[in-house]
Amino acid sequence: MTLSPARVPVAAGVRRLTATLYGYAFLDDFVLLYPVYALLFSDTGLSVWQISSLFALWSITGVVLEVPSGAWADAVSRRLLLWLGPLLTAVGFALWVLTPSYWAFALGFVLWGARGALGSGALEALVYEELERLGEGERYARIMGRARAAGHVAIMAAMALAGPVFAWGGYPAVGAASVLACLASAATATRFPEDRAVPEAGAEDWSTTLREGLAAVRRDRSLRGALLLVPAVAAVWEALDEYTPLLVRDTGVAETTVPYLLLLIWAGATAGGLLAGPWERMGTAGLAAVLAAAALSMALGAAARTPAALGLLALAFGGFQLATVLADVRLQQRIDDTRRATLTSVAGLGSDLATVAAYGGYAAIETRAAHSTVFALFAVPYLVTAMLLVLRRSLRFRQSIP
């Protein structure tokens, strides 16, 4: 079949966008410091309290900058923020290995938190609007699901390579590799197409964009529901990810086996991202079923406390990743283009706050119970979210009956 002349530029535009996106997503998570930075902090002499305070600082930075950075992305070039962010992280990682100390780690986490805030909202907005401009907006779920999967593959690759690289060159080697990945990510971001007209200087500052975006949320009930669904789906499982090594170790396996079982769990999350495209048209009832099934899988897999049962945890993380992408799709479909990054960042702020709450809740419960028990208890919020989705669907159905 011969493509019409009109389709050739569209196909080329989609290929450029997706190739850049997948490369950016991979490089952004191909950080060899990920599996060992907690060890770096401990080996530097930091206490558990100091390490926890660093994680809190990381989260708080994201909370403070999330919404302003999203409004800024709507007021300036989104591509600018996407290449600027990785440069901040590169500086932070370099500080960690060159001058390891509490304050260097703290500054690095502030830069890392700022990087996350700059990319949150800007990336989703740029991809969605470029696809719509090309007439391919219906491919957003499939493409973003694959981008999430590319990031997960990068994390698994970093886990696999961190050990040999660390054995060869210690923290300086894994640090240098992480800095190079950040620089490559920034270079890749400059290749993003952005045909959106950037507002003229002084035409509308970020605070005006933010006020108008929040006003739209107050007026539109459907938009408000889609915005709240994002943190309800994403926050808890992404917080629990930080504790999966402890859960795995509690199954009785050797320390050297833990990374391989973590790869199994991340493989499940990767599969969930890849399913987003085929399952994009899933309705509210289907999304509720996915959340309920994933919650039960997580509770059963954690409570069993055996290595084999971690396969259920992998299924759960796959379900949560699928639901996270689909929640983002619902939000993007309801946002006005001029405030897309702003409102996506508002959803990100909700996720950040819920994640901080999850960290606190986990720490409070774990002082009295095993890690397996905490994971099982954190299935409850997902069961509640699934129930609310079903109730909301039923209410809408009743209202539609004359």
Side-chain angles (χ1 to χ4, degrees), residues 177-192:
S178 301
V179 169
L180 288 175
C182 293
L183 296 177
S185 178
T188 302
T190 64
R191 296 288 302 158
F192 272 116

Side-chain angles (χ1 to χ4, degrees), residues 247 250-251 297-310 312 372-373 376:
L247 176 70
D250 276 4
T251 63
S297 293
M298 182 171 73
L300 293 173
R305 301 185 69 175
T306 64
L310 293 175
L312 290 174
S372 57
T373 303

Side-chain angles (χ1 to χ4, degrees), residues 15 25 97 99 106 126 132 147 149 176 178 208 233 295 312 314 316-318 384:
R15 282 197 300 271
V97 295
T99 59
L126 184 149
E132 283 214 319
S178 301
T208 301
V233 170
L312 290 174
F317 273 36
V384 172

Side-chain angles (χ1 to χ4, degrees), residues 124 140-142 144-146 148-149 152 225-238 268-295 314-334 347 351 381-383 385-386 389:
E124 293 87 349
Y140 177 79
R142 181 182 296 107
M144 288 305 292
R146 290 175 178 174
R148 296 288 183 94
H152 292 157
L227 191 147
L228 292 173
L229 182 62
V230 172
V233 170
V236 171
W237 81 273
E238 291 181 353
T270 302
L274 293 174
L275 288 173
W279 290 22
E280 176 186 3
R281 301 188 184 280
M282 181 190 306
T284 300
L287 182 59
V290 168
L291 286 175
L315 289 175
F317 273 36
F320 293 143
Q321 178 66 87
L322 170 63
T324 298
V325 176
L326 296 183
D328 174 53
V329 172
R330 291 181 172 220
L331 177 61
Q332 299 303 327
Q333 291 172 343
R334 289 165 174 78
S351 296
Y382 285 112
L383 294 174
T385 300
L389 286 172

Side-chain angles (χ1 to χ4, degrees), residues 213-228:
L214 294 177
V217 173
R218 290 193 295 269
R219 290 192 304 267
D220 190 334
R221 183 174 168 184
S222 175
L223 174 59
R224 187 165 60 248
L227 191 147
L228 292 173

Side-chain angles (χ1 to χ4, degrees), residues 15 17 22-23 31 49 54 80 110 119 137 144 161 180 193 209 217 232 251 285 293 321 330 396 402:
R15 282 197 300 271
L17 175 64
Y22 300 155
V31 178
W49 181 90
L54 291 174
L80 168 66
V110 168
M144 288 305 292
L161 289 174
L180 288 175
T209 304
V217 173
T251 63
Q321 178 66 87
R330 291 181 172 220
R396 283 184 175 179

